[in-house]
Every structure is written in C-alpha cells, then in structure tokens.
Amino acid sequence: MRRRVVWKEEACIGCRLCEVYCVTAHSRYPGDVLKAFKRDPDRPVPRVVLEEKGPVSFALSCRQCEEPECVKSCLTGALGVDPARGVVVVDEQHCIGCWTCIVACPWGAIRPSRGEQPVAIKCDLCLGRLGIPACVGNCPNEALQLQECGKEG
Amino acid sequence: MAISMRTAPYRVHRDPDRCIQCQVCVRQCANGVHRWDDEEAEVVSEDRECVNCHRCVVYCPTGALTISRSPLDYAANANWRKPDIDQIYLQSETGGTLLTGMGNNRPYPVYWDHLLLNASQVTNPSIDPLREPVELKTLLGRKPDSLELKKGTLAEPVPPQLELEVPVMFSAMSFGSISLNAQKALARAAIDLGIYWNCGEGGLHPEMDPYTGRVIVQVASGRFGVNMDYLNAGAAIEIKIGQGAKPGIGGHLPGEKVGPEVSVTRMIPVGSDAISPAPHHDIYSIEDLRQLIYSLKEATEYRKPVGVKIAAVHNVAAIASGSVRAGADYLAIDGFRGGTGAAPLRIRDNVGIPIELALAAVDSRLRAEGIRNQVSLVVAGSIRNSADVVKAIALGADAVYIGTAALISLGCHMCQKCYRGKCNWGIATTDAYLSKRLNPEIGARRAANLIQAWKHEIKEMLGGMGINAIESLRGNRLALRGVNLTSRELDILQVKAAGE
Amino acid sequence: MEKEGRVRIPSGCAVAGIVNLQGEVFGAGDIIQSIACMHDRSNGLGGGFAGYGIYPELKDYYALHLFYQSPLAREQTEAFINQVFTVKDCGPIPIKKNPRITDVPGIWRYFALPDPARLEECSDTEEEYVMKCVMQINRNIPGAFVASGGKNMGAFKAVGYPEDVADFYRLEDYRGYLWMAHGRFPTNTPGWWGGAHPFTLLDWAVVHNGEISSYGANRRYLEMHGYHCGLQTDTEAITYLFDLLIRKHRLPVRVALGILAAPFWDEIEQMEESAKRTWKAIRAVYGSALLNGPFSIIIGSSHGMIAMNDRIKLRPLVAAEEGDYVYVASEESAIRAICPNPERVWAPRGGEPVFGLLKNKEVSIADSPVVARAV
C-alpha cells in the first residue's frame, strides 16, 4: 500500500504553514513550534515546499513513486522503498551527500539537509512521529490529504 | 501630496519573543500590513492599513500577534466623537460619499435583548426534545384561508410552498458581493440542512448548477443575470425592492470586482460597474409590483412561490399589506441593522427602523386586515443567534433570513470593509487568490454546524415553553415579556412587561 | 386583583362525560357521582355541568342561560334580548341554597328565537345571528354573562366544588342524553362564575383540563377570524376553534380534530401519497389552530360527545363503553364509580379521539383523509 500526501490546488492558499509544521515535526521539539524555531540549533529544512505562481499554489512533497528514480540512482543504496509502510525512505547513515537523487527526482522533492555533513532529506510522512503527517494535520484550509493508493494514481 | 490627517485606527502588536519570522502573516494580509524587511531580516508591520480582521492573528502559528484599538484619541468630547472627526478628515481628503460594509454598528436599541422568553413550571410540563419530538418544519408560501376536502382529499391543490426543516434561511448575497466559494459553502449547507439559500441579484454562475434545487433567485432593479433559465432554476423567486442596510438606495458593484466570472454571471462587460437603480424602473407604484409578481408567476407557470423583499421603513405595515394584496407569496422584511456588501455610511446608519418593531407592526397589521394567514413572513436584519430566531417567530415571523451570522460562521470577522474587495477571509472578494482561502467544503460544514446547533437550541427553548411544533409559537406574543422598554414600545410590540 | 378575562389564569382540572348513544335521556346522578369522585382534582374555585336534551318541551328554542351581577345588568340585557329575539318563555333558573356556594349572581334563562324581521335584514345565518347577539351581551353589557345559548341544552356552572354546584342548581331535576362535568383547579383567581366550565357557544359545550401553550398563537388566529376571546381561557379558544373549523369552514370532524392535535410530520411522511399531500396542506394552512401543550377535552353537542388528548398525551383521559353508554373521565375511578364493570375500558392515545356520537344523527366524520396513527 503506497501512501503519500496529495494537495488540492483549489484549496491551497499559499500560507506556508505546512512548511512551518514540517520543520517543527522534524525538529527536536516536534510538538512545539516556538521551541522548534527558537531553541533548536539544528532546525531542519522543510521537506515540503510551496510552489506558487499568481493565485495558483500547492505544497510539493515526495510523491512516493512506485518505481522511484531516486532509489534507482542512489549510489550507496541509502534510498529504498519500505513496502510495509508504503514510503520511500533515506538511510541517513549510508547517504554520502552526492545529490544524485536530487538530480534524478522528476518532482524536485528531495533537498539537502543543513549541517556540516548534509544528507538527502525528503518527506517521510512523519512516520514514527505523528499519527498523520504534520502538514496534513495543520493545513488550515484542508488542502492537504494523506492518500493511500495501490497502483500508480 | 498634502499630509493625511487620519491616523491608524488599530495597532498591531508583535511579540518578538514569539515571532519565528515564518512570514505567514505577510502572506495572509491582503492589506499589506506585514512585510519582510531584508535589511533587518525580520517581519515588520505597518499599523495604518490594518482593518482588524484578525486573519494574521488566527494564522500565526505561535500566537505572536495581537491587535488593539489605537489608544490615540481626541480631547474628550461627548458630542464630537472620534468617528465624527475622522470621517470629516476622510471626506475632506476625498470629497466622496463614505462607504461601509456589514450592518449598522451604531448603539441603537437591540429589541431582541429587551425581550425574554417564557418557560413551563408546574401548571404545564416542559418537553424534553431529546425524548419527545419537537417539530420545526416550516412551509413558506401563500395559503388559502380554508381548505375544502372532497372524499378525504383536497378539492384544490395548495399553492406551491418552500419546505424548511429549520425556520432559518441564508439571505440574499450575490456572487460578486461574496466569492463563489462563499456562495458554494452556503448552498451546500442549505441542501444538507433542508433549508434555502438566496443567490441575490447577481445571476447564477454555472458552477452553482448542482445547488439550484434549494436556491431562491432574486429579481432586483438591475435585473442582472435574469433570464428564463434563471427563473426556472429557482425553488422560489424573490423580487427585491429594498435592503435593510440601504433602504431607498440601489446597488453598486464596482468595476474592479467585475472579473470574467462575474461578467458571465451578471451578463455585463468585464470591468464595468454593475449598478442596480434605486427603484425598479418598471415599479413606480403598488399596481406595478402586482404586474411584476404575476409576470414572474406566469413565466414560471405558478409552480413556485414569488416573494417580495422590502426594507423596514416607517410605513412598513402598509407596504407589507399592499404587497400581500399585490400577490406576494412571502414577504421578506429586512431591518435597519441588516448587512450589506457596500452601502453609503450615512444611509446605513440613519435610514430605516428596527426589524423587531417592523415585524410586530406588520404581523399585527396583516392580522387586523385578516390576511396574515395568506402570506409567510421572513424577517432579516440582524438575527444573531437562536434566541433571536425564537423571539422573531414569537413576534410573528414564519422564518428568518441570516446573512451576517452565516458569513461569520464562514470566518468573517466583521471588519466592515467588504466594499474594498480585499477580504482576507476569502468571503467578500472576487480575487482568485483571496477567494481560495474559503474552502467551500469547510465552509459548508461550518455553516451547517451553526444551523444544527441553533436547531437544537430552538427545540430546547420550545420544549421549555411546552411547545412541540414551531407553528404554535408563531405570533404567540404571550411567550415574550419586555424588560426596560417604554409602554409605547410594549404597545407596538404587543408584548407585556416582565412581571405582568 | 383583576377579574378573569382581564388576565389569563392557568388551571388544572377534572373532566367527565357520559352519553347515551340512542339519545335516551337519563338523570344527572351519574355525572355528579363521577365528578365528585375526583374531588381532589379541583379546588373549589369552579365547577360546572352541561346537559343535552334537558328542555324537550322547548327544544326548538335557543335556551339562553344568563348570569347577572346587578339588576341594572338584567334590565339592559332583557331590553336587548327583547329587541333581537322573540322570547317564548323566561324566568329564574331554579336553585337551592348551598352554604358553600356564595356570591350568587342573578341566574335567569330565556327560551327564544331570533327576531324574524331583524334576522331577515342581516346577511347572517340564524346561528351566526345568535352567536353575535350572545357576544354582544358578553362584551358590551357590564355585569351580564351568557353561560350557554344552545337549543335543548344548558350549562350550569358556579364557583364551588362540582358536587355543590350540582346541588345548588338542583340538577337531579333534569334528564338528558349527554352530560358533561368539570371541576376546576385554577392557580390564582378570585373565582368568577363566568370563568367556570363548561364553556359554550351555540350548540357546543367544552370542558377542558390543561394549559394550552399555544394559546397566544391560537387566540390571535381566532381574532383574525372575528372571534373575541374575552375570557382569555383555553376552553374559550378551543370552543371557538371548533366552531371555526366545523361550522364555518365545514371541515369533517376528524379533520378538525386532526388540526387541533395534528399528526407529527414523521407520521405524515409515512402516509400514502394522497393523504400525505392532504395532511401537509392541513398543517400548512391550519398550523395556527394546533393546540400545543397538555390538554384533555370533552366536546359536547347535540350530535354527541367527543373526547381527546393533546398529541403526546400530557393529561389523563380514560374512556369506557357499556351498552349504549360511552363514558370518559380524567380518571378510571370516576368511571368505575358509576359503571363498575364496563365492557371495555381504555386509555386513548395522544391525539386519538374518542367518539360518543348519537346513532340517529349524521355527522361527517368519515369524509376525511386517513390518519395513519397506529392505534
């Protein structure tokens, strides 16, 4: 069962709260926006990015492709599909920061992390952190939803 | 350019300890209050443009923002108050009529707050709506004085009726004055609730097709959007003569709000002002109203009720009586606190009378003339909660229209700047970027929740009075007592004083 | 303290009724015993009876029962009566002094027919003419009150317990085919004879236990149709509603009852299409005539007796049948006191009428849409 975050373009208002809550969820203080931004010295970059032109906007994150280009291109095998959880995962221990995946991703959904030895980071659906992805749970206009799909869809 | 003498009415407070510089406020304010300063590398705010709509406050993820009224005031003067002076400064700058939005905000008496409801004690039992049925179904439309039955069935069919599960409807708000998303939200809620929404004078956008089963279509003085399909689409037709917020005044949708979508719906060129004349130019007298009513009835083959909406003005009882005799199947009366997307400030604040008194006068007059049963009365003009609904029905209404309360359920924060078209809540705007802010699914849910909540409360109040069908409250002024009212006001309301 | 009629006074009560379906007359003893059995349901501030078939010799004349507070009131009323009626017979109603019945007004009765010339002149039917005359007395002559004005019937009421009222009026001397009785428990009143039950209008007499929470709506509806609710009592309003629906609008009795205690919308939804349409129309058109709140009523007329509860049965009502007799009362004990083992005893459901209609009279109860209420 593949799972991914999908957006409703007509409901996305471009507020970027998805980014704020993504950062918070992946910080040292996953439940506290204020501390995540004020106290976390290694505040992560958001794994969801708002794309916007005029009134059209949407929050882009990993599409969790069925046959992911990033996984195919990964030199070290750090990227892989976790079939049980239906999500593409990065093993940060094995990531060497070569950015081949960033080049290979047709969506532009992978970014380098901050820090001295940056690794590839991407949407992990907040697995092991929250019940539903933070961006979905905190989208003020219900423009983001967690979708479960079988085949490509 | 000479300096403006106006000062910022509100102050934006940003708590630096809480601000995380995420710039959500920057993106949410269509008035440009908040901006990112590159040099300072922080968000800064400009008070002057703030309208106190709370959009940024609600959206700030850390609660860093609050807004307060500016403490700056003029020398104490009970006569020349701050708004009086500020308005002169503004008019001295612009030379124009002052515009405003939403309903009258002046401290006139709110009669609902001087009316108290009854409840059963000992001599008759109250009814628990959780255990016993309490019926709110309401039928709006013309009714014969009596029925004739032949072999147990109706000798003649009853004229068409609107069937409401709750005696509350969403009042006329056109696409243009509000966003299409706002209209969709209310329309969906109306369908879910078994009530009706009113598309106002602005035609029906093609995207509203799924919601026409429960729409009341309006025919107003500009005749915007009116054609045969439009008339046939409606569950009822409403001739708009006047609006409580601006009796005697027509409508004006500025060209800036007339984008391609509004243009199609109103059948006017993009960018042109949509001006509804003050009177209907084919109604200069009551007999003309009759002609229009019957033209519409003929056009739709007497299959739907045709109502008339009037503003509550001094002579409202006589106008109401004339309208009933002219053939109106229901009468909507809009009090002087009724809302608007745009109205001249002086008109909004000074013309018309309170709906409570107008309703009492109209109901009494129609009864005195023996024609109350023929027509349904729908009242509007600041129904704020379920108690106002109950009081309105006890005074004599069949149902109420709500506009402002419905918009507040969608997120309106009553900043009264609807006429600018820059509504940060995506309601009173046609701007594509801003309109998206109102997700019609969320809006429909919220509006429906509101009416469901009122429905429970109305049942509770009815049950408390020992009444299990709303029609037993209609015009039942014994259910009311007045507090803090003059005997003249009590006479007009035909309500006894508390303690009597 | 203001007299009833100036103020509205809620009250609880006992009611009872007996009818012989063959129209055979019987003495008042049973109804007195039945209502006396429910002594504690009233508080001595009002009791009354109505009997039908009590004036067989003068059955074609309107029997006007009058209360007079003063000789002047009688003088004025009689002048008016002589003007608008042709009086066949008149005199004081026989009474027997009873220490518990005090403040006795002048109590007279007149057997009369409308003055033919005057009736001819106006556009009213005979019944409307009589009704208007009665209302004129009640409204315009201070100190005069018409207790009843139907043919071959009469109301006997007073401030006191019903058994004392019966004794006072020497009811044992009368025989009728339909008797109804009432014991009143007003919550606050100085006690006024006119305010006691039954309340009557032409051929109708109504006794009632309850407090109509829709009174304000009912009253304003009636006023719109020309009724003056001078007494401000529920009973008065119920009587006028019945008169409006049946006499003026010519609705079948069952429909009229279905207006007063309307089927719920849920029940209407389950009816077959034609009945659904009809009841929907009935509720839409006659919503203001729905009686809301608790009541049990007995409605008497020369056609017989009908008893009914409000639609969720918030007041007691028991019915019984024995031979040609139908009994109704607030309590079963009041029936068993006079008919220990009836063939059938039942508690009617809310809104379900009990009919005790004379067998030789035609009443249009059948011509009505099906009421889908499960019995």
Side-chain angles (χ1 to χ4, degrees), chain B residues 143-174:
Chain B
K143 287 152 189 99
D145 281 332
S146 63
L147 283 177
E148 195 187 332
L149 297 179
K150 277 189 185 149
K151 297 204 171 113
T153 55
L154 295 174
E156 270 181 42
V158 169
Q161 308 284 321
L162 295 180
E163 205 172 314
L164 280 68
E165 298 304 322
V166 194
V168 178
M169 303 190 289
F170 297 130
S171 62
M173 286 175 280
S174 69

Side-chain angles (χ1 to χ4, degrees), chain B residues 74-151:
Chain B
Y74 303 101
N77 192 323
N79 182 34
W80 288 96
R81 295 152 306 174
K82 191 165 191 289
D84 300 318
I85 299 169
D86 287 343
Q87 287 163 10
I88 289 180
Y89 287 143
L90 178 57
Q91 288 193 300
S92 310
E93 279 175 30
T94 64
T97 304
L98 295 172
L99 274 182
T100 186
M102 305 313 287
N104 197 321
N105 63 3
R106 303 298 296 274
Y108 292 103
V110 177
Y111 287 92
W112 303 131
D113 296 339
H114 293 267
L115 294 169
L116 296 171
L117 294 166
N118 195 22
S120 302
Q121 297 287 292
V122 183
T123 56
N124 70 357
S126 41
I127 297 165
D128 181 352
L130 296 177
R131 293 163 191 270
E132 304 275 355
V134 174
E135 302 182 311
L136 302 187
K137 190 191 279 290
T138 300
L139 296 162
L140 298 183
R142 178 160 288 259
K143 287 152 189 99
D145 281 332
S146 63
L147 283 177
E148 195 187 332
L149 297 179
K150 277 189 185 149
K151 297 204 171 113

Side-chain angles (χ1 to χ4, degrees), chain B residues 224-496:
Chain B
F224 293 118
V226 178
N227 58 32
M228 212 42 236
D229 293 339
Y230 175 77
L231 296 179
N232 279 329
I237 301 170
E238 182 173 285
I239 299 169
K240 178 195 174 184
I241 299 293
Q243 187 174 340
K246 42 181 171 178
I249 295 283
H252 181 180
L253 185 69
E256 295 81 55
K257 274 177 129 176
V258 182
E261 298 298 318
V262 175
S263 150
V264 168
T265 317
R266 296 217 177 191
M267 305 190 294
I268 53 170
V270 174
S272 63
D273 288 6
I275 300 197
S276 303
H280 286 244
H281 283 303
D282 54 359
I283 303 179
Y284 281 12
S285 179
I286 191 79
E287 63 271 20
D288 297 338
L289 174 63
R290 185 181 180 83
Q291 287 197 5
L292 181 58
I293 290 174
Y294 279 92
S295 304
L296 295 170
K297 286 188 178 183
E298 284 288 335
T300 52
E301 296 170 326
Y302 297 84
R303 284 181 287 106
K304 51 193 69 184
V306 175
V308 173
K309 176 179 178 178
I310 54 173
V313 291
H314 302 356
N315 204 18
V316 66
I319 298 161
S321 162
S323 302
V324 176
R325 293 178 192 281
D329 297 324
Y330 74 85
L331 212 57
I333 309 169
D334 196 9
F336 85 143
R337 284 193 305 272
T340 177
L345 180 97
R346 298 288 169 237
I347 303 284
R348 186 195 76 171
D349 288 356
N350 296 284
V351 180
I353 63 170
I355 190 58
E356 301 91 328
L357 300 177
L359 165 59
V362 168
D363 179 70
S364 298
R365 174 67 167 266
L366 297 182
R367 283 172 192 270
E369 294 187 20
I371 54 175
R372 173 64 185 87
N373 218 37
Q374 290 175 18
V375 74
S376 297
L377 286 184
V378 182
V379 300
S382 205
I383 300 289
R384 303 158 302 170
N385 53 49
S386 58
D388 290 354
V389 178
V390 171
K391 290 169 188 177
I393 291 172
L395 275 181
D398 287 83
V400 304
Y401 262 142
I402 59 164
T404 303
L407 295 189
I408 292 174
S409 82
L410 302 184
C412 167
H413 277 59
M414 295 294 294
C415 72
Q416 307 183 40
K417 297 290 187 291
C418 327
Y419 60 96
R420 290 192 182 172
K422 294 211 284 189
C423 175
N424 273 328
W425 292 93
I427 299 166
T429 179
T430 55
D431 178 278
Y433 176 65
L434 296 175
S435 299
K436 286 170 79 182
R437 296 182 177 188
L438 178 55
N439 180 343
E441 278 176 32
I442 301 175
R445 195 165 65 222
R446 293 181 62 93
N449 277 344
L450 177 74
I451 304 303
Q452 287 291 2
W454 287 17
K455 187 174 165 180
H456 292 308
E457 291 174 339
I458 293 169
K459 286 184 175 185
E460 205 93 56
M461 286 181 263
L462 278 186
M465 288 188 265
I467 289 175
N468 64 9
I470 191 87
E471 57 260 46
S472 294
L473 181 71
R474 194 181 309 140
N476 190 345
R477 298 190 192 171
L478 287 176
L480 299 171
R481 288 291 187 274
V483 284
N484 228 347
L485 292 172
T486 66
S487 56
R488 190 86 192 100
E489 288 166 325
L490 289 167
D491 281 351
I492 292 164
L493 292 166
Q494 287 184 5
V495 166
K496 290 182 174 179

Side-chain angles (χ1 to χ4, degrees), chain A residues 2 6 8 12 18 42-44 62 76 87 90 106 118 125 135 137 153:
Chain A
R2 280 170 61 219
V6 292
K8 283 204 278 183
C12 176
C18 48
D42 308 317
R43 174 157 49 96
C62 173
T76 64
V87 58
V90 186
L125 301 182
C135 57

